[in-house]
Amino acid sequence: RKNTKRVPSFRKLLRTSKIKLDNKLKNKQYKQQSAAKKYRKEQKKLREAVRDAIARKPFPLEECKKKQVVQKHEEEEEEEALPLDMMDEDDLKLMEDLAQKASFLTRDLSSNEPVHVKKRKHESVMDKYEKVPRRMQTEPEKELIHLLPIKDKSGIIPQTMEKPVLSVAQDEEEDTEEMEEAEGFPTEPLPVLSPEEMAAQRRQKLQERKMHIAALASAILSEPDSNIKKLKELRAMLMEQDPNVAVIVRKLVMVSLMEIFKDIVPSYKIRPLTEAEKATKVKKETQKLREFEEGLVSQYKFYLENLEQTIKDWKQRKLKKSNVISLKAYKGLAEIAVKCLCELLVALPHFNFHNNIIVLIVPLMNDASKMISELCCEAVRKLFKQDKLGYASLGVVKVISGLVRGRNYDVRPEVLKVFLHLRIKEVELQKDAEDIAPKKKFMTYKEKRKNLSRMQRKWRKAEEKLERELLEAEASESKEKKLKLHTETLNIVFVTYFRILKKAQKSPLLPAVLEGLAKFAHLINVEFFDDLVIVLHSLIASGGLSYRESLHCILSAFHILSGQGDVLNIDPMKFYTHLYKTLFSLHAGRSNDDVEIVLQCLDVMFAKRRKQVSQQRALAFLKRLSTLALHVLPNSSAGILATNRIFMQMFPRMDLLLDNESQGSGVYLPELDEPEHCNAQNTALWELHLLQRHYHPAVRMFAAHLSVGAPAEGSAALPLDLSQRPATELFEAYSMRGMTFNPPVAAVTPRRKDTFPQTDVFLDEGLNKQLEQHSAATVGHRPLDFARHLKESSLL
């Protein structure tokens, strides 16, 4: 009968759970063991039957009596034996006939029926052994070959055949011949290669492998549908065993496979076929496409498993049995594997097994190796920047949150800083606002029947169906779904931030948390505003934060209060005071980079809250910022003066500081840390006169512009490239991180010191004539006579 059992496909194996596959394997092995055990048992019985048949031969009656009669029964036989003269002739003749047959005494061993069939159950092993006739081992036992038995009416007849035995002389001759042949190979000395020849041989092998990889890759890329099986051949080269070229070949194969998958992978996720889809008949093109997709998914899965195993072997410092690659070389292989995984993470976020790649990459962001950690962090940043829908970002954020919590917040700060690159600008509104908003009313069935005709209802139904099909064809995501994904992602981010603020305030992760809160504070739920502002102020008041961290706290607090926090009755005066007090911590050294955060804080604190800021506070900040512009680098000075320009245009009566006369009572107290009570209206911006002599042209233009009251038009107005750019952009534009000067310094033609100009150097004409005569005259050089001078000196 034809075997109708089908081999399970790869898609079916993917759906099958691991436990079920293990149970299937155990059952299969158990059946194979049972069949093998049964076969061995039958063969054993057959051998025993053959051995018994050979060992037991029919003996004459007299010999059998002599061997079977025991000495202890001799007396009984003498007593019980009947004399022959007392028996009739017929009985005696019958006994002689029975003795010739030897069937009832000696058992008819010459019968075709096997002996073990008639064995009685109660017969012990020792009795059976005693009944077997003894024979001398005069000749060596001949080795038998068991053949297939024959079965007839009487039973099974075992068949055997003697194994032909060669003579001892022939055996010795064959042994000597084999030894000579075996010893013949080492007698030929292997060629000893010089280092140059070994290097040339290695280059040749490497070139052959490269050509093979290139041929396979070209064939796959030219026709992926028909050459999908060559992926397996190329993937097999990941197990290169030649120790001379193994490391380089494996690296080349890893990178080649990565580029191939990036090119041939479709722009959709391949799902496994259902049973109904497998049963239906399809066209040849469709069947070919299905086979291509199935092979692609399987090879992609095996490739990812190989990369994962390479990384695990390196992390566990584990060598393979073959020892082809050393532990030192495994590090290079692991780095290439991580690079391939990072490329696939960014290039194929829509394809199968993307979540598995995320689970592999995220723990490596906290790796001890700085290079691998930076690779993984950079890949995650790229993924966040290009992810428009939010599926991949949500998966990465979930894994990072679990990693931070699982490691008890002992991770690198770079792991949390990747959250700053999330493309989240808006989230879902609160439920209360949704409840208050008027909801769209849908027409009931009765209203449709009443207001629409039959043809209109039919057209509306067709239009809705067409819109659904268009959305499915374009694979466009609705705005509501996108907002839902962004909201869920941001909730996980905030939960991670709040856990660190609550449980690990002294952790090195705190700067990253505060920076993240400063960026996403406008998206936090209003319910957390009051508690979060209190926590931020307590962190600043504790004094355990660095200057940059305190700036992030201030920025977070004002982001909260400038958005939905306007409805809250919270006084931020303590944050104004802290920033005013710490402004002079900035200088032209390391803290110059913190000026950018200060400019962001000033924009949120004054520009977006100008109605809540008093004139005294604005004057105090304007004066202190002008003094600070003298202490920092040119890019910081330009940004600070741009902020001062906004102050003078936004707040009234800022021109008081351009007048030397004091306004009101009191004296300006620059050392006082309270901006409301330092009497800033009684001072002047004398710093602008110094800044007008600054070496940077942009700073000079800003200082001159501010010294005349920052007019919007006229001769003293700023050019458009300076007036329309925000302060933070000016800070970046004139930055000197690359050791360059913006704008570039004009080149000056140097003067040669060894040449004189054509004009007269000296005003005295007589002196000029003497110089000309001396330069024109030729002076004759005579040889020096040192001997004459020595004689004269000796006479003296």
Side-chain angles (χ1 to χ4, degrees), residues 180-190:
E180 289 176 359
E181 290 178 358
E183 293 176 356
F185 291 102
T187 54
E188 298 178 1
L190 293 174

Side-chain angles (χ1 to χ4, degrees), residues 18-159:
K18 186 178 179 182
I19 299 175
K20 192 171 181 181
L21 290 175
D22 293 341
N23 293 339
K24 281 187 177 182
L25 182 61
K26 289 179 182 178
N27 293 337
K28 186 177 180 181
Q29 292 175 352
Y30 179 74
K31 288 180 182 179
Q32 291 176 354
Q33 291 174 1
S34 301
K37 190 175 181 181
K38 187 176 180 182
Y39 176 76
R40 288 196 301 270
K41 195 172 182 181
E42 291 177 355
Q43 292 295 320
K44 185 177 179 182
K45 288 182 179 180
L46 185 61
R47 287 195 298 270
E48 288 180 358
V50 172
R51 197 180 300 114
D52 290 343
I54 294 171
R56 297 186 181 184
K57 296 180 180 180
F59 296 99
L61 182 61
E62 292 79 6
E63 294 181 4
C64 187
K65 282 184 178 180
K66 290 179 183 179
K67 291 181 180 180
Q68 290 184 354
V69 174
V70 187
Q71 292 181 359
K72 64 179 182 179
H73 296 293
E74 288 180 358
E75 296 178 359
E76 295 178 3
E77 287 184 358
E78 290 177 358
E79 293 176 358
E80 294 178 358
L82 295 174
L84 296 177
D85 55 358
M86 295 180 65
M87 298 178 64
D88 296 337
E89 294 180 358
D90 298 335
D91 295 337
L92 185 60
K93 188 175 181 179
L94 179 63
M95 293 293 290
E96 289 176 356
D97 295 338
L98 292 174
Q100 293 294 330
K101 290 183 179 180
S103 61
F104 70 100
L105 291 176
T106 62
R107 297 169 67 182
D108 190 4
L109 297 177
S110 61
S111 174
N112 292 331
E113 189 175 359
V115 180
H116 64 279
V117 176
K118 298 181 180 180
K119 182 172 65 175
R120 293 188 299 272
K121 292 183 180 179
H122 64 275
E123 186 175 12
S124 65
V125 179
M126 293 300 295
D127 294 341
K128 176 184 174 183
Y129 180 75
E130 290 294 337
K131 289 178 181 179
V132 174
R134 274 69 168 173
R135 57 178 178 171
M136 299 297 293
Q137 295 287 342
T138 56
E139 296 180 358
E141 291 187 1
K142 296 180 178 180
E143 192 173 354
L144 300 176
I145 300 174
H146 298 286
L147 305 177
L148 291 175
I150 303 173
K151 184 175 182 181
D152 59 359
K153 294 180 180 180
S154 59
I156 298 175
I157 303 173
Q159 300 289 321

Side-chain angles (χ1 to χ4, degrees), residues 510-715:
L510 190 60
V513 171
L514 296 174
E515 196 171 351
L517 285 175
K519 181 175 182 180
F520 302 115
H522 62 286
L523 302 174
I524 301 177
N525 197 340
V526 183
E527 299 174 358
F528 303 108
F529 280 4
D530 198 2
D531 296 333
L532 190 56
V533 169
I534 293 173
V535 170
L536 293 175
H537 180 258
S538 63
L539 287 173
I540 293 175
S542 64
L545 301 181
S546 65
Y547 183 62
R548 191 180 183 89
E549 294 171 4
S550 64
L551 290 178
H552 283 306
C553 284
I554 296 171
L555 188 59
S556 304
F558 279 97
H559 272 305
I560 292 171
L561 297 176
S562 62
Q564 304 176 48
D566 289 337
V567 297
L568 300 178
N569 188 14
I570 299 176
D571 184 18
M573 184 58 197
K574 45 198 172 187
F575 295 107
Y576 282 101
T577 304
H578 181 77
L579 181 61
Y580 181 80
K581 180 173 59 177
T582 58
L583 273 178
F584 284 146
S585 300
L586 300 170
H587 51 78
R590 180 182 296 180
S591 64
N592 186 74
D593 293 336
D594 297 337
V595 175
E596 184 177 8
I597 308 174
V598 172
L599 296 176
Q600 295 175 8
C601 292
L602 292 171
D603 181 57
V604 180
M605 296 165 69
F606 290 92
K608 296 181 180 179
R609 293 175 59 87
R610 58 181 179 271
K611 294 182 180 179
Q612 289 89 359
V613 178
S614 64
Q615 182 182 352
Q616 292 291 333
R617 194 182 306 171
L619 288 171
F621 270 93
L622 180 60
K623 174 61 179 177
R624 182 155 289 199
L625 287 173
S626 301
T627 307
L628 180 64
L630 298 171
H631 304 161
V632 290
L633 292 180
N635 59 333
S636 302
S637 299
I640 291 172
L641 292 178
T643 305
N644 287 352
R645 176 175 177 268
I646 295 174
F647 277 30
M648 297 184 74
Q649 291 178 349
M650 190 175 295
F651 295 98
R653 300 188 66 185
M654 290 292 108
D655 54 353
L656 292 175
L657 299 180
L658 300 177
D659 191 1
N660 292 332
E661 296 181 1
S662 60
Q663 300 289 330
S665 60
V667 180
Y668 174 59
L669 303 174
E671 71 280 359
L672 192 64
D673 293 335
E674 293 291 337
E676 297 284 349
H677 308 291
C678 66
N679 299 324
Q681 73 277 4
N682 293 327
T683 185
L685 296 178
W686 53 265
E687 296 88 358
L688 295 178
H689 296 281
L690 293 176
L691 291 172
Q692 289 182 27
R693 298 183 177 90
H694 200 277
Y695 62 89
H696 199 283
V699 177
R700 290 200 301 268
M701 292 176 68
F702 268 109
H705 173 70
L706 293 176
S707 61
V708 294
E713 56 185 9
S715 59

Side-chain angles (χ1 to χ4, degrees), residues 3-18:
N3 186 13
T4 59
K5 187 174 181 181
R6 296 177 61 186
V7 179
S9 64
F10 178 74
R11 295 180 183 275
K12 188 172 181 181
L13 288 177
L14 282 179
R15 291 198 308 270
T16 310
S17 64
K18 186 178 179 182

